Amino acid sequence: MNPLRARSSANALIDFSAITPEHIAPAVDELLAAAQAALAQVTQPSFPASWQDLSAVLAVATERLGVAWSAVSHLNSVADTPALRAAYSEALAKVTQFFSALGADERLYAKYKAIDCATLSTEQRQAHANAMQNFQLGGADLTGSAKERYAKIDERLSSLSQKFSENVLDSTESFSLIASEQDMAGAPSDVLQAALSRFKALANPQGWDKGGYLLTLHAPCYVPMMQFATNAALRERLYKAYATRASDLSEGAQAQQRDNSAVMTEILALRHEQAQLLGFTHYADVSLANKMAKSADEVITFLRDLANRAKPYALKDAIQMREFAKTELGLLNPQPWDWTFIAERLKEAQYSYSESEVKNYFQLPKVLGGLFAKIESLFDVRIELGSAPTWNNKVRFYTVTQQGRLLAQFYLDTAARSGKRAGAWMDDGRSRWMRPDTHELQIPMAHLVCNFADGTASQPALLTHDDVITLFHEFGHGLHHLLTRVEEQSVAGISGVEWDAVELPSQFMENFCWEWDVVQGMSAHVDSGQAMPRQLFDKLLAAKNFQAGLQTMRQVEFSLFDILLHSQEAAAPAPLALLAEIRKETSVLPVPEYSRTPHSFSHIFAGGYAAGYYSYKWAEVLSADCYAAFEEAAKQGVQALDATGRRYLIEILQVGGSRPAIESFVAFRGRDPTIDALLRHSSMAA
C-alpha cells in the first residue's frame, strides 16, 4: 500500500519508514485528482454557498493532499537523496499549479463571497476573512492573460525557491577539508572526535592509511572551529568557503551549476512582476498585506530606530574587541575570520568560562527532560515518548496529553547529517480540526527539527547554550501549533497567524534558558553527572548580553536588506550592491568583498520570509513584553505566576490565528506592546 495515500482515520500517522520516492507520483496524482474533482463539485451553480458544505467537500480533499505533501516536503528537507529530490521536484510543479489555480478560481471566489457571515462562528469568520484576502492576493480578481501570467509566475517561483535551497545544501555538502592534528589545535574534544570519525568513514573505504580530521561547513563543525581553532589560516579557509556558498565564487566540481546569482535575479524580478499584476507598487506591499506591520515605511522606520539605539553599543563592542585582539592576542589587524575567535576569547577573559566548558553540562537527553518539565509546569500538560515509524533511527516521537487525554503529537529530529537542510524549524504536519466529513476531532502533529552535533555510542549529544536556546525556540513554535484549542484548521495553531507575530511564542520560550531553576534541572556534567554549579551559571548569565549591540545590528542589517530589496518601485537593485550600501549604515566590522551572504539567505529566497525577515525583531518586542509579565508576576508569588502562565496559554497559544495577533497580545498584556522590555533584556536601555 502507498503510505502517502488517504489516512485510515483523522489521527492516523504516516509511515515515514515505508515511504520511497516511487510512492510520491502515484499518491500525489491520486490526491490531486480527488481535490480537482472536489473543486469541480463545489463550483457547480447548484452547490450551496455554505461554509460547512464547502469544507465537507473541498477542504477535506485539499487537506488530505496537504498532509501527504507536507510529509513529502518534510522528507525532502531531512532525508534528501537524488531519487527523492527528482520525485519531489516533478510533483512540486503539479501541486503548485493546483494550489495556485485554486487560489485564483473566480467560481470558488464567488462562492466564498456569497457565504452569509452571520451564520459563521467567530473562528469561521476569521477563516473566511483570511480566505477572501488570500483569493485577492492569489490573483482571483485577475482575468485573461494577467491571470494566466500570475499562475505561471507562481509555478516558476516555487521551482526557483526549491532550486535555491538545493544549491545551498549541495554547496555546503560539496566542501570538505582534511586537517592535521596540528591544524585542530584549540578545537573542543567532541568536535575533534566527530571530525576524526568523519575522516575514518571516508578514508577506510578508499584505503587511506594516514591520519587526519575531516572538516565540513555544517554548523556543528563550522561554528566551533571558528570559535576555538587557533590556526588562523584554517579559519580563513573555512570562512571563505562558508561565505561564498552557492555563489559565483564557490569552489569545487559543479560549483557553477550551484551558483544562486541568476536564481536570485529571476526570483526578484518575478516577485516584482507579480506584485504589479495585483496592483501593488512592489512585492513588500504584497507581503505586508497580511502582517501586523502595514507598510514598508513602517518596517524601515522600526528597524532604523532600533539601529540608532543599538549602534552605539555595537561600536563599543567592536572597539573592545580590537583592543583585546591587540593587547592579549597580538592581532594588530584582525581579519573577518578572526572576529568569532576574538569574541570567544574575550568572553572567556571577561567572564572566566568558555562555551566548551558549558557544553559539557548540556547533554541532550537531560536538556529535553528539563525542557519538558518546564512546559508541563507552565501549561499543565504531559509529554511522553511514544512509538511511531520515522525517517531516521535517531528521530523520536512524542505525545502531549492532559489528564490522560491525547492533545497532540510531534516528531523530534535533532542530529545534523548528510542530506538534511541546515538550520532549525518547525513544520505543521497536521492541524487541529473538527472534521466536517467524519465529525471527528483531528489533533495537531508537528515536526521539530534542529541540526546539533550527534552523540556517539559512548556519549550523548552535547549542546552549547546557544543550541539549548535554539531547542527552546523551536518548541515555542511547536507549542503554538500543538496546544491550540481552535477547531477550524485554517486558523488553528500557527495557521492564520500574522507572519510578524508567529515568532512571539518561539522567542518567548528562549527566556527560560536563562532561569536558574530551569538550567539546574536540565544540566548534568557528561563525566560527573553533577548539575551546573551556580557560579558557572552566574557567569553565563552575566555574559547573556555579550555583544548584544553587534548581534542586534547584524539582524537589522539582514532585515533592512530584505525589506529594501523588496520595496523598490522599479526592478530590485543587484543584491550585492544593495547589501554593500546597507552595510555602510549598519556594519561596524569590515566584511570582505568576496562575501556572498545573499546567495545562501534561504529565509528570504526559499523560506517564506521575503519582505518579512524583520519579523524576528518585531516579534522579539512582543515576546520580551510578554515575558516581562511573568517577571512582574514572580514578584507577587506563585499564585500570580500560575495565573499568568494560564492567561498566556489561553490568550496567546490556544487562540492560534483565530483573531488578529494584536488582539491576542492586548488580551494577555492588557495594553499595546512597547519596546522597553526588549531594550532592558538586551542591556541597551537608556
Side-chain angles (χ1 to χ4, degrees):
M1 292 181 64
N2 191 321
L4 288 169
R5 284 179 177 148
R7 291 112 63 197
S8 58
S9 67
N11 295 313
L13 295 167
I14 289 176
D15 186 351
F16 281 102
S17 66
I19 298 172
T20 67
E22 291 72 28
H23 288 129
I24 295 174
V28 167
D29 288 347
E30 178 183 310
L31 293 168
L32 269 173
Q36 287 163 341
L39 176 61
Q41 180 182 346
V42 302
T43 52
Q44 290 295 317
S46 59
F47 194 89
S50 154
W51 181 270
Q52 196 68 16
D53 290 325
L54 283 165
S55 296
V57 177
L58 183 60
V60 166
T62 56
E63 192 267 350
R64 285 174 178 159
L65 171 62
V67 168
W69 185 244
S70 172
V72 175
S73 300
H74 176 68
L75 287 176
N76 184 63
S77 295
V78 297
D80 182 49
T81 65
L84 179 65
R85 180 181 293 186
Y88 173 81
S89 297
E90 180 182 353
L92 176 64
K94 300 176 186 177
V95 174
T96 301
Q97 187 176 45
F98 170 76
F99 280 109
S100 178
L102 184 74
D105 192 298
E106 62 269 19
R107 302 165 302 166
L108 185 61
Y109 186 26
K111 291 286 184 185
Y112 272 82
K113 283 181 177 178
I115 290 174
D116 180 3
C117 292
T119 66
L120 304 182
S121 68
T122 301
E123 294 175 3
Q124 289 169 345
R125 279 197 295 274
Q126 184 65 48
H128 180 267
N130 291 351
M132 294 298 289
Q133 183 178 59
N134 289 337
F135 274 119
Q136 292 155 9
L137 295 177
D141 287 324
L142 300 178
T143 59
S145 61
K147 183 184 282 284
E148 291 177 10
R149 178 59 182 158
Y150 185 95
K152 288 180 179 178
I153 291 174
D154 235 21
E155 187 176 340
R156 180 59 178 161
L157 282 172
S158 179
S159 174
L160 287 168
S161 293
Q162 172 64 12
K163 178 61 175 171
F164 187 97
S165 184
E166 289 174 357
N167 285 346
V168 175
L169 175 62
D170 292 346
S171 184
T172 300
E173 295 201 334
S174 70
F175 176 88
S176 63
L177 177 65
I178 297 174
S180 67
E181 187 167 355
Q182 185 178 2
D183 291 332
M184 299 296 289
S189 59
D190 62 315
V191 177
L192 277 169
Q193 288 302 314
L196 181 61
S197 296
R198 281 194 297 270
F199 177 81
K200 289 179 177 178
L202 177 69
N204 288 344
Q206 298 187 24
W208 295 356
D209 55 2
K210 58 182 179 180
Y213 298 83
L214 188 67
L215 303 180
T216 74
L217 297 181
H218 289 292
C221 175
Y222 176 77
V223 173
M225 290 302 295
M226 297 305 294
Q227 288 175 308
F228 299 107
T230 58
N231 186 329
L234 179 66
R235 294 199 308 271
E236 179 182 6
R237 181 81 176 84
L238 290 170
Y239 177 91
K240 185 169 185 179
Y242 192 86
T244 57
R245 288 176 302 156
S247 77
D248 55 314
L249 298 181
S250 296
E251 303 175 26
Q254 297 184 318
Q256 201 170 22
Q257 287 81 2
R258 297 172 184 145
D259 180 6
N260 271 332
S261 300
V263 177
M264 288 189 297
T265 299
E266 188 175 356
I267 286 175
L268 292 170
L270 290 176
R271 284 174 179 169
H272 186 72
E273 182 183 353
Q274 197 171 56
Q276 294 196 315
L277 283 172
L278 292 174
F280 292 100
T281 303
H282 43 61
Y283 184 78
D285 284 344
V286 179
S287 176
L288 295 172
N290 53 9
K291 292 182 172 65
M292 290 180 72
K294 296 309 176 189
S295 71
D297 286 344
E298 183 181 0
V299 172
I300 293 166
T301 298
F302 164 73
L303 292 171
R304 287 191 163 136
D305 176 56
L306 185 57
N308 288 336
R309 295 169 185 261
K311 193 166 187 178
Y313 295 93
L315 289 168
K316 289 179 184 177
D317 292 339
I319 291 170
Q320 187 180 40
M321 276 208 294
R322 289 187 184 280
E323 184 62 26
F324 180 83
K326 177 182 177 181
T327 59
E328 302 298 326
L329 303 178
L331 289 172
L332 303 182
N333 184 27
Q335 298 300 308
W337 48 88
D338 295 325
W339 293 120
T340 304
F341 178 75
I342 294 168
E344 188 59 37
R345 287 298 180 89
L346 174 59
K347 186 162 68 172
E348 290 176 12
Q350 280 190 336
Y351 304 105
S352 302
Y353 82 92
S354 70
E355 289 290 350
S356 57
E357 178 187 4
V358 169
K359 191 175 184 178
N360 286 323
Y361 285 95
F362 290 128
Q363 303 176 58
L364 178 59
K366 185 70 173 177
V367 172
L368 285 173
L371 168 60
F372 293 168
K374 187 62 184 178
I375 292 170
E376 290 172 348
S377 67
L378 275 174
F379 305 124
D380 189 29
V381 296
R382 184 166 180 79
I383 300 175
E384 296 178 302
L385 186 64
S387 177
T390 63
W391 51 93
N392 185 280
N393 61 11
K394 296 293 181 72
V395 177
R396 296 293 177 262
F397 175 77
Y398 293 89
T399 60
V400 183
T401 60
Q402 187 174 60
Q403 298 177 348
R405 182 167 58 95
L406 184 63
L407 297 182
Q409 302 161 316
F410 66 90
Y411 297 85
L412 179 62
D413 183 354
T414 61
R417 58 180 176 270
S418 178
K420 184 178 178 183
R421 176 163 61 88
W425 65 92
M426 189 281 293
D427 277 336
D428 53 329
R430 187 179 66 218
S431 293
R432 193 171 194 264
W433 192 22
M434 181 58 73
R435 296 188 65 92
D437 53 343
T438 63
H439 305 292
E440 179 183 8
L441 181 62
Q442 178 173 291
I443 63 170
M445 181 270 286
H447 308 126
L448 293 161
V449 184
C450 299
N451 270 279
F452 304 144
D454 200 4
T456 65
S458 59
Q459 178 178 289
L462 299 179
L463 308 186
T464 66
H465 190 252
D466 281 345
D467 290 337
V468 175
I469 291 172
T470 296
L471 187 65
F472 273 63
H473 179 103
E474 298 310 328
F475 264 87
H477 283 308
L479 293 171
H480 202 185
H481 181 64
L482 300 172
L483 298 186
T484 186
R485 289 296 178 272
V486 176
E487 296 184 353
E488 189 62 48
Q489 63 155 344
S490 65
V491 290
I494 62 169
S495 299
V497 178
E498 295 98 315
W499 201 255
D500 42 7
V502 81
E503 296 293 337
L504 189 168
S506 55
Q507 294 179 146
F508 169 81
M509 283 300 296
E510 293 180 19
N511 291 286
F512 295 105
C513 300
W514 300 101
E515 291 190 357
W516 166 238
D517 62 328
V518 176
V519 171
Q520 189 178 34
M522 67 180 176
S523 61
H525 195 279
V526 67
D527 295 325
S528 69
Q530 296 296 309
M532 179 181 289
R534 182 62 194 243
Q535 184 180 21
L536 180 56
F537 170 76
D538 287 341
K539 293 176 181 178
L540 187 68
L541 187 61
K544 174 176 181 283
N545 292 319
F546 177 69
Q547 297 189 342
L550 279 173
Q551 292 168 18
T552 300
M553 291 305 295
R554 179 174 171 79
Q555 287 299 98
V556 169
E557 177 183 301
F558 289 157
S559 301
L560 272 177
F561 169 71
D562 169 43
I563 196 69
L564 291 174
L565 190 67
H566 289 101
S567 60
Q568 306 296 316
E569 293 190 13
L576 289 175
L578 176 63
L579 185 56
E581 285 300 309
I582 291 170
R583 281 176 171 159
K584 292 177 183 177
E585 178 182 351
T586 60
S587 292
V588 296
L589 295 174
V591 178
E593 287 188 11
Y594 62 69
S595 175
R596 295 293 188 267
T597 302
H599 292 70
S600 57
F601 199 175
S602 296
H603 275 78
I604 69 169
F605 288 109
Y609 277 85
Y613 193 81
Y614 76 92
S615 299
Y616 283 102
K617 298 312 292 185
W618 184 280
E620 197 174 347
V621 171
L622 305 177
S623 65
D625 207 342
C626 284
Y627 183 71
F630 284 79
E631 294 175 313
E632 294 159 11
K635 297 175 183 177
Q636 301 172 31
V638 175
Q639 285 187 332
L641 199 55
D642 287 346
T644 303
R646 180 70 180 163
R647 195 168 72 252
Y648 178 82
L649 172 65
I650 293 170
E651 303 294 359
I652 301 292
L653 299 182
Q654 289 187 350
V655 299
S658 65
R659 65 186 179 193
I662 189 61
E663 291 183 16
S664 296
F665 180 91
V666 172
F668 170 68
R669 202 66 174 99
R671 56 165 173 76
D672 287 335
T674 73
I675 199 172
D676 299 352
L678 172 61
L679 296 175
R680 176 168 54 81
H681 289 164
S682 303
S683 297
M684 293 192 296

